[in-house]
């Protein structure tokens, strides 16, 4: 996969692309990441990329010409372009899975008060990482890159993303490690039993319980598998005894 980031602040990505799992994925050639400085496409003497909004108001708006010239310099038939925008489709794990199948992602990051609205139709999608406002799209693009790169083949051990929160529409069950007793706070006995079927049942029940409590919105939408149906009923029956 190739990822191209269009930004005014490529320096913000320096540690991100050289650290930990993402740094290793790039070093091993599992993904290539390149940056386009939008300001390089500004033609005027002062290399302006923004201007005052028509109709008045505070802040600056990023101009069509430098942004679209930058975008067109990297767009191709195989690319999928996304504008980071608080007014976009809200990002989630299933979107990360879809994007991990693309050949070339282009992430367009704005700053200031956002982009001239005429730019919107030149990208495939507007994406928001949540209902809050960032000073620019750079952090949002890093969130997208991180969540997509870790799903690429060979980046992390196969199977280890399967049980994670949001992969099956549920939050992940709680995990524990040594020591089994930390200052009197004990790991649930079942996890020390070595009984794999019972452990799986407990984990599924915990995952359903946690989702119902913390994210009732996800729980409502969840399509139970036959197995989930069975272990959830068993838990409810136990609780009503
Ligand atoms: N730019 C500013 N806020 C944003 C958000 N929440 N998501 C994506 N891009 C943004």
């Amino acid at each position: 996969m190739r990822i191209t980031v269009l930004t005014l602040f490529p320096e913000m990505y320096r540690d991100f692309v050289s650290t930990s799992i993402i740094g290793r994925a790039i070093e091993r050639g599992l993904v290539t990441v390149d940056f386009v400085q939008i300001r390089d496409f500004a033609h005027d003497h002062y290399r302006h990329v923004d201007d005052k909004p028509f109709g008045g108001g505070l802040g600056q708006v990023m101009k069509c010409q430098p942004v679209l010239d930058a975008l067109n310099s990297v767009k191709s038939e195989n690319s999928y372009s996304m504008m980071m925008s608080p007014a976009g489709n809200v990002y989630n794990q299933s979107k990360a899975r879809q994007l991990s199948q693309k050949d070339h992602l282009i992430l367009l990051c704005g700053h200031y008060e956002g982009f001239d609205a005429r730019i919107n139709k030149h990208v495939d999608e507007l994406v928001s990482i949540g209902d809050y406002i960032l000073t620019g799209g750079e952090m949002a693009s890093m969130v997208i890159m991180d969540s997509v790169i870790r799903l690429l083949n060979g980046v992390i051990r196969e199977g280890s993303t399967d049980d994670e929160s949001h992969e099956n529409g549920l939050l992940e069950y709680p995990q524990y490690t040594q020591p089994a007793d930390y200052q009197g706070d004990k790991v649930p006995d079942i996890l020390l039993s070595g009984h794999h079927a019972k452990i799986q049942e407990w984990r599924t029940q915990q995952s359903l319980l946690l989702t119902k409590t913390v994210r009732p919105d996800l729980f409502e939408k969840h399509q139970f598998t036959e197995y989930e149906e069975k272990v959830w009923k068993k838990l409810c029956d136990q609780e009503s005894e």
Side-chain angles (χ1 to χ4, degrees):
M1 168 180 279
R2 175 182 171 202
I3 303 180
T4 304
V5 183
L6 278 65
T7 173
L8 294 170
F9 302 102
E11 64 275 18
M12 284 180 72
Y13 298 82
R14 204 176 34 218
D15 288 345
F16 174 67
V17 297
S18 59
T19 308
S20 185
I21 296 173
I22 304 302
R24 272 199 302 280
I26 295 171
E27 209 174 274
R28 291 166 61 206
L30 301 172
V31 58
T32 57
V33 179
D34 48 77
F35 297 91
V36 172
Q37 169 56 270
I38 298 172
R39 202 174 292 285
D40 289 346
F41 292 82
H43 294 320
D44 67 311
H45 182 64
Y46 294 104
R47 303 214 299 158
H48 279 127
V49 291
D50 56 352
D51 209 332
K52 290 191 281 294
F54 277 124
L58 296 176
Q60 295 280 97
V61 176
M62 288 184 68
K63 290 154 68 79
C64 289
Q65 178 271 317
V67 172
L68 289 178
D69 285 356
L71 182 62
N72 291 330
S73 77
V74 289
K75 245 174 149 180
S76 74
E77 258 176 30
N78 294 336
S79 61
Y80 189 78
S81 53
M82 288 181 292
M83 176 195 283
M84 304 301 107
S85 165
N89 300 321
V90 180
Y91 192 65
N92 61 22
Q93 187 64 20
S94 108
K95 189 77 204 177
R97 282 259 169 226
Q98 285 170 31
L99 294 180
S100 69
Q101 304 301 313
K102 306 275 186 200
D103 291 332
H104 182 198
L105 294 181
I106 298 174
L107 308 179
L108 175 58
C109 305
H111 237 82
Y112 318 115
E113 282 303 297
F115 294 99
D116 185 308
R118 289 169 291 184
I119 296 171
N120 296 10
K121 57 180 169 294
H122 296 268
V123 293
D124 293 304
E125 189 178 354
L126 272 63
V127 183
S128 163
I129 60 158
D131 295 341
Y132 42 82
I133 308 291
L134 304 166
T135 57
E138 284 75 15
M139 303 286 277
S141 74
M142 283 188 240
V143 166
I144 291 176
M145 282 197 269
D146 188 289
S147 58
V148 169
I149 292 172
R150 65 191 291 288
L151 294 176
L152 300 178
N153 280 340
V155 174
I156 47 184
R157 195 141 47 95
E158 212 165 313
S160 63
T161 61
D162 296 352
D163 270 356
E164 288 171 337
S165 289
H166 301 294
E167 271 306 339
N168 56 359
L170 296 172
L171 303 182
E172 194 188 356
Y173 47 79
Q175 299 262 39
Y176 303 86
T177 187
Q178 298 290 351
D181 182 337
Y182 177 69
Q183 299 183 347
D185 195 354
K186 295 200 179 77
V187 165
D189 285 338
I190 184 84
L191 297 178
L192 311 178
S193 70
H195 195 303
H196 293 299
K198 287 210 168 125
I199 291 173
Q200 196 197 346
E201 178 177 312
W202 180 86
R203 284 180 163 165
T204 305
Q205 288 173 337
Q206 292 299 311
S207 169
L208 289 161
L209 256 181
L210 186 67
T211 309
K212 185 166 193 280
T213 313
V214 180
R215 292 293 304 273
D217 57 321
L218 294 180
F219 190 80
E220 282 305 312
K221 285 198 297 225
H222 184 62
Q223 304 277 326
F224 278 61
T225 63
E226 231 171 87
Y227 177 74
E228 286 168 352
E229 197 87 63
K230 193 177 93 189
V231 299
W232 183 245
K233 186 171 180 309
K234 200 164 155 187
L235 181 73
C236 296
D237 291 347
Q238 276 164 12
E239 284 185 352
S240 63
E241 268 166 19

